[in-house]
């Protein structure tokens, strides 16, 4: 007689109930005790109940109850996720992803050459890294983006707010005021030319005061403050759900001194990169980082490379390297997949009061 | 911030004691560990550890301010945002003068007037606010023994003859300039670290270090292995402390740097040429031979990243010299001519705001703006 495999019994339960005790987020001491007592799966724990658990392992009933609640939360959390519901581990087809990406907004930079190689502008949900020599304009570009992210939708913007994390102290409020004033003027010109109702409405709220009030500025003096701030960012972004841009101006500076232990630095940077990726995805924001250039001494010559090492290079989706070229003023180079185009700006790019602008 | 002890981060007493057994006493130690390590040392579950991380981060993280609040604060107190140089065209281009709260670097070949500029700024800082000064003391860290008190008095008496009309006023001014002679990197760094208390007790409104390059280049030879990294370390440490002081007390910090000429294509120095603004060989006009090497600001590109404003002084047709605004968050390309007189630096002629491409004498790579 064939014993039917108890398929029916298991079909309605998520496979997570078979998750091993070792993977549950319990305190390590508790986990080792459970392992020593012979518990293997989460289902076993739930079946034993708090009193039985406390007697078997030798912990108090309250502790056992707490542990079971953690297990239940974990299992239910996973169960809610597996049937394809919304959450961190949802599945979708590449087509859905493509449609999503195409409707994604871009933060335009007002420099047509730059927008072209970026594929429309700085993309939301991605990390963009800007590297360059000192004085080439990284902070200027970041300040420009902090204003451009706020452009109302009817003018082609994403109508978001900006978080500016400054580690080098190069944020100049007066310059932001200039850039914002020029942006408002530009939008007024468009509105006058096109004479549409929603343009006029949008302009009522798109004022200098509003723009400045929606740039949230954090000054981080060392890498600990930076780490702490990035830990707290998800909470801040949940409270300020309109933020569409997070700028970290100077990711390299705090990590470039007082680090004898380079492996610690690599680990911290990797952790930072992961957190930023999660932030970018979960909150639909663009993350823009600026990096310094450093000297790499080779056998026959030295070259300038972005700072923070090879492994950091993998953190960003899009990497822009600005450097001086012989005849042209600046060259933007998108180094990472999927775009690897070089762009030459044949005309002189002038730092007008608009900030970045291609002068024809 | 990093050295903040955990018990001030509002963690429970027993937790702090448990952590101290693992040598984790400060927020820095705590935040540098990974989640698994934290679970091990605290003996708590994943969610509990997340909450602890949150608490500790709250204790360390900076306060948020909007750009609007910053602007309001600045407009309430406009005079405290820059120190006027009394070189009117330069002040106009820099939106007021040497900015407070950030690092300004003066670079030049020897003899162009760096120390003269610094001495002049020392006089200006002691002037009352009504005259464009900051009404405060000056800390002058001299590493080359180039400071001359007589020159200080000469500049003061000649530049502001109506104000410094009595000896008493001159002595009062000279007693507000505090001079320190530190001749090694180590002592300079120690001095910078100890400045916080001095600034408060002496009501200091300007810090000058003349010159950073001479003391660094004496001790660090970038051709030797390991020295480049150590030099960068020293410079970034110094820069971050100075930035902290500048921002915390809202005062200007002026540093001087040298121009270096590399006579052959030595790899280490070649790579220092990061910004064409630093490639001063282009300034030499026709007589400079590029083959003989490149002329650039010393101390490398890490240092160039750390300063916020860079002014370059250099020779023109003697006695006229030239002052260039090479890096500034607010100023466009500009060049001025000046001479050095009894009263300090004096601008000659009109200012030239240069547009790249149109003004062919200065190609765009040569000047950088930030």
């Amino acid at each position: 007689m064939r014993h039917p495999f108890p398929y029916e019994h298991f079909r309605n339960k998520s496979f997570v109930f078979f998750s091993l005790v070792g993977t549950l987020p319990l305190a390590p001491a508790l986990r080792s005790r459970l392992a020593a007592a012979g518990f293997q799966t989460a289902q076993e724990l739930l079946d034993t109940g708090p009193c039985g658990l406390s007697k078997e392992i030798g912990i108090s009933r309250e502790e056992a109850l707490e542990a079971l609640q953690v297990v239940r939360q974990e299992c239910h959390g996973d169960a809610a996720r597996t049937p394809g519901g919304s959450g961190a581990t949802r599945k979708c087809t590449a087509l859905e992803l493509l449609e999503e990406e195409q409707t994604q907004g871009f933060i335009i930079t007002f420099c047509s050459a730059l927008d072209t190689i970026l594929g429309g502008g700085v993309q939301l949900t991605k990390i963009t890294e800007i590297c360059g020599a000192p004085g080439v304009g990284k902070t200027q570009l970041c300040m420009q983006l902090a204003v451009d992210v706020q452009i109302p939708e009817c003018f082609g913007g994403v109508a978001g707010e900006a978080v500016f994390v400054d580690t080098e102290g190069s944020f100049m409020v007066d310059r932001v005021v200039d850039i914002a004033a020029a942006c408002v003027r530009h939008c007024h010109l468009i509105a006058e030319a096109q004479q549409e109702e929603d343009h006029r409405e949008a302009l009522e709220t798109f004022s200098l005061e509003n723009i400045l009030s929606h740039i949230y500025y954090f000054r981080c003096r060392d890498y600990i403050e930076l780490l702490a701030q990035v830990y707290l960012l998800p909470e801040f972004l949940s409270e300020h759900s309109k933020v569409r841009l997070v700028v970290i101006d100077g990711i390299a500076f705090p990590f470039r001194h007082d680090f004898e232990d380079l492996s610690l630095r690599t680990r911290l940077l990797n952790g930072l990169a992961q957190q930023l990726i999660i932030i970018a995805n979960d909150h639909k924001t663009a993350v823009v980082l600026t990096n310094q250039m450093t000297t790499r001494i080779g056998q026959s010559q030295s070259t300038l490379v972005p700072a923070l090492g090879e492994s950091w290079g993998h953190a960003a989706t899009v990497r822009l390297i600005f450097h001086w070229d012989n005849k042209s003023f600046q060259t933007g180079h998108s180094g990472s997949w999927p775009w690897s185009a070089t762009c030459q700006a044949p005309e002189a790019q002038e730092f007008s009061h608009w900030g970045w602008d291609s002068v024809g | 911030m990093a050295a903040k002890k955990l018990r001030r981060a509002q963690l429970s007493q027993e937790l702090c004691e448990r952590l101290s057994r693992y040598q984790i006493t400060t927020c820095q130690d705590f935040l540098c560990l990974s989640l698994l390590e934290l679970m091990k040392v605290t003996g708590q579950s994943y969610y509990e550890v997340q909450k602890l991380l949150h608490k500790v981060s709250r204790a360390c993280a900076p306060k948020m301010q909007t750009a609007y609040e910053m602007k309001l604060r600045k407009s309430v107190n406009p005079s405290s945002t820059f120190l006027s140089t009394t070189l009117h065209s330069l002040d106009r281009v820099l939106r007021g003068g040497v900015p407070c709260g950030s690092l300004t670097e003066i670079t030049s070949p020897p003899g162009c007037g760096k120390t003269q500029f610094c001495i002049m700024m020392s006089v200006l800082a002691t002037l009352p606010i009504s005259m464009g000064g900051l009404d405060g003391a000056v800390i002058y860290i001299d590493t080359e023994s180039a400071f001359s008190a007589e020159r200080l008095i000469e500049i003061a008496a000649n530049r502001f003859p109506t104000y410094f009309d009595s000896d008493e006023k001159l002595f009062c001014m000279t007693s507000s300039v505090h001079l320190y002679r530190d001749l090694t990197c180590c002592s300079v760094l120690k001095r910078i670290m100890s400045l916080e208390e001095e600034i408060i007790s002496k009501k200091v409104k300007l810090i000058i270090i003349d010159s950073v390059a001479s003391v660094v280049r004496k001790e660090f030879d970038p051709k030797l292995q390991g020295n480049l990294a150590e030099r960068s370390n020293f410079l970034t440490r110094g820069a971050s402390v100075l930035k902290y002081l500048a921002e915390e007390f809202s005062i200007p910090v002026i540093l001087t740097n040298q121009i270096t000429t590399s006579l052959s294509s030595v790899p280490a120095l070649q790579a220092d040429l990061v910004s064409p603004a630093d490639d001063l060989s282009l300034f030499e006009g026709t007589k400079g031979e590029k083959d003989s090497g490149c002329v650039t600001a010393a101390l490398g590109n890490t240092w160039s990243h750390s300063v916020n404003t860079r002014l370059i002084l250099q020779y023109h047709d003697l006695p006229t010299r030239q002052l260039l605004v090479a890096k500034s968050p607010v100023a466009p390309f500009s060049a001025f001519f000046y001479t050095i007189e009894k009263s300090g630096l004096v601008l000659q002629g009109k200012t030239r705001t240069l547009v790249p491409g149109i003004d062919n004498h200065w190609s765009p790579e040569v000047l950088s703006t930030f």
Side-chain angles (χ1 to χ4, degrees), chain A residues 25-28 31 70 73-74 132-140 168-178 209 212-225 227-229 231-232 235-236 239-240 253 256-259 264 267-268 291-295 297 300-304 324-329 348-351, chain B residues 1-2 27-29 31-34 36-37 39-40 43-47 53-54 56-58 60-71 74 95 101-102 222 228 232-233 236-237 239-240 243-244 247-248 267-268 271-278 301-302 304-306 308 327-330 333 355-357 364-365 367-370:
Chain A
L26 300 167
R31 262 185 301 165
V70 167
Q73 190 182 40
E74 185 70 15
V136 80
K138 306 184 287 290
T139 303
Q140 292 283 292
E168 294 173 340
S170 15
F171 184 81
M172 294 281 144
V173 172
D174 294 323
R175 185 78 184 120
V176 178
V177 167
D178 282 351
E209 190 181 316
L212 291 179
S213 316
H214 292 142
I215 299 180
Y216 305 109
Y217 178 79
F218 297 89
R219 173 77 171 98
C220 293
R221 298 256 158 78
D222 53 41
Y223 73 94
I224 291 297
E225 287 189 21
L227 287 176
Q229 188 52 48
Y231 271 129
L232 296 176
E235 198 185 311
F236 185 84
E239 285 164 22
H240 299 83
F253 184 66
R256 296 198 71 201
H257 60 100
D258 284 340
F259 256 106
L264 173 66
R267 180 156 65 69
L268 291 178
N291 198 358
Q292 294 177 353
M293 300 296 268
T294 184
T295 319
I297 317 259
S300 54
Q301 50 158 25
S302 313
T303 44
L304 276 180
W324 307 99
D325 210 3
N326 256 327
K327 290 297 168 224
S328 56
F329 197 65
Q349 281 181 355
E350 190 190 277
F351 277 150
Chain B
M1 265 303 131
C27 291
Q28 179 167 356
D29 303 326
L31 287 175
C32 280
L33 297 173
S34 70
L36 286 179
E37 284 170 352
M39 283 170 72
K40 189 178 89 153
Q44 304 210 359
S45 72
Y46 182 79
Y47 299 111
L53 260 177
H54 233 70
V56 175
S57 297
R58 281 233 166 269
C60 291
K63 211 174 69 93
M64 191 269 290
Q65 32 177 343
T66 63
Y68 188 60
E69 286 162 15
M70 291 168 72
K71 178 89 183 80
K74 266 198 157 184
R95 307 285 193 91
S102 68
L228 198 58
S232 285
N233 206 13
T236 37
R237 269 179 82 189
S240 59
K243 276 194 202 219
Y244 163 71
E247 284 175 25
E248 186 67 30
D272 281 349
L273 187 65
V274 287
S275 162
D278 301 332
N301 73 85
T302 308
S304 302
H305 277 293
S306 306
N308 301 100
K327 176 179 176 182
S328 161
V330 292
F333 319 129
V355 179
E365 311 96 61
L367 301 160
S368 75
T369 191
F370 177 56

Side-chain angles (χ1 to χ4, degrees), chain A residues 133-191:
Chain A
V136 80
K138 306 184 287 290
T139 303
Q140 292 283 292
L141 183 55
C142 291
M143 295 196 284
Q144 175 90 52
L145 289 172
V147 170
D148 289 343
V149 73
Q150 305 190 40
I151 296 176
E153 276 161 352
C154 54
F155 293 105
V158 297
E161 301 174 354
V163 164
F164 199 105
V165 177
D166 187 4
T167 63
E168 294 173 340
S170 15
F171 184 81
M172 294 281 144
V173 172
D174 294 323
R175 185 78 184 120
V176 178
V177 167
D178 282 351
I179 296 177
C183 193
V184 169
R185 261 198 307 275
H186 184 58
C187 290
H188 271 283
L189 288 175
I190 298 181

Side-chain angles (χ1 to χ4, degrees), chain A residues 28-272:
Chain A
L30 187 55
R31 262 185 301 165
S32 47
R33 281 199 187 182
L34 289 171
F39 283 98
Q40 282 191 351
T41 65
Q43 185 58 42
E44 280 182 70
L45 286 178
L46 291 172
D47 287 342
T48 316
C51 297
L53 203 61
S54 75
K55 280 191 213 120
E56 241 185 278
I57 312 178
I59 52 177
S60 73
R61 285 203 201 125
E62 289 77 21
E63 282 174 15
L65 184 60
E66 259 184 58
L68 284 179
Q69 279 169 347
V70 167
V71 172
R72 208 167 276 131
Q73 190 182 40
E74 185 70 15
C75 295
H76 282 143
D78 277 353
R81 281 197 286 266
T82 38
S86 66
T89 55
R90 68 197 164 128
K91 312 185 291 275
C92 57
T93 65
L95 180 64
E96 288 166 15
L97 209 53
L98 178 67
E99 283 169 0
E100 216 181 277
E101 278 182 15
Q102 281 177 341
T103 51
Q104 204 78 267
F106 291 97
I107 306 176
I108 52 180
T109 62
F110 272 143
C111 170
S112 48
L114 196 56
D115 283 341
T116 313
I117 54 165
L118 285 173
V122 172
Q123 210 180 6
L124 300 183
T125 75
K126 301 272 188 288
I127 301 187
T128 305
E129 188 184 340
I130 303 176
C131 311
V136 80
K138 306 184 287 290
T139 303
Q140 292 283 292
L141 183 55
C142 291
M143 295 196 284
Q144 175 90 52
L145 289 172
V147 170
D148 289 343
V149 73
Q150 305 190 40
I151 296 176
E153 276 161 352
C154 54
F155 293 105
V158 297
E161 301 174 354
V163 164
F164 199 105
V165 177
D166 187 4
T167 63
E168 294 173 340
S170 15
F171 184 81
M172 294 281 144
V173 172
D174 294 323
R175 185 78 184 120
V176 178
V177 167
D178 282 351
I179 296 177
C183 193
V184 169
R185 261 198 307 275
H186 184 58
C187 290
H188 271 283
L189 288 175
I190 298 181
E192 267 166 47
Q194 300 194 347
Q195 294 286 333
E196 275 172 45
E197 188 53 47
D198 51 351
H199 283 184
R200 235 167 302 149
E201 268 180 50
L203 277 179
E204 276 163 36
T205 47
F206 191 58
S207 67
L208 194 59
E209 190 181 316
N210 270 334
I211 297 178
L212 291 179
S213 316
H214 292 142
I215 299 180
Y216 305 109
Y217 178 79
F218 297 89
R219 173 77 171 98
C220 293
R221 298 256 158 78
D222 53 41
Y223 73 94
I224 291 297
E225 287 189 21
L226 182 61
L227 287 176
Q229 188 52 48
V230 175
Y231 271 129
L232 296 176
L233 260 187
E235 198 185 311
F236 185 84
L237 292 179
S238 308
E239 285 164 22
H240 299 83
S241 55
K242 288 189 75 187
V243 171
R244 287 285 165 274
L245 173 69
V246 172
V247 174
I248 302 188
D249 186 15
I251 194 95
F253 184 66
F255 286 100
R256 296 198 71 201
H257 60 100
D258 284 340
F259 256 106
E260 296 89 23
D261 185 3
L262 278 184
S263 56
L264 173 66
R265 189 180 89 166
T266 311
R267 180 156 65 69
L268 291 178
L269 284 172
N270 283 336
L272 208 57

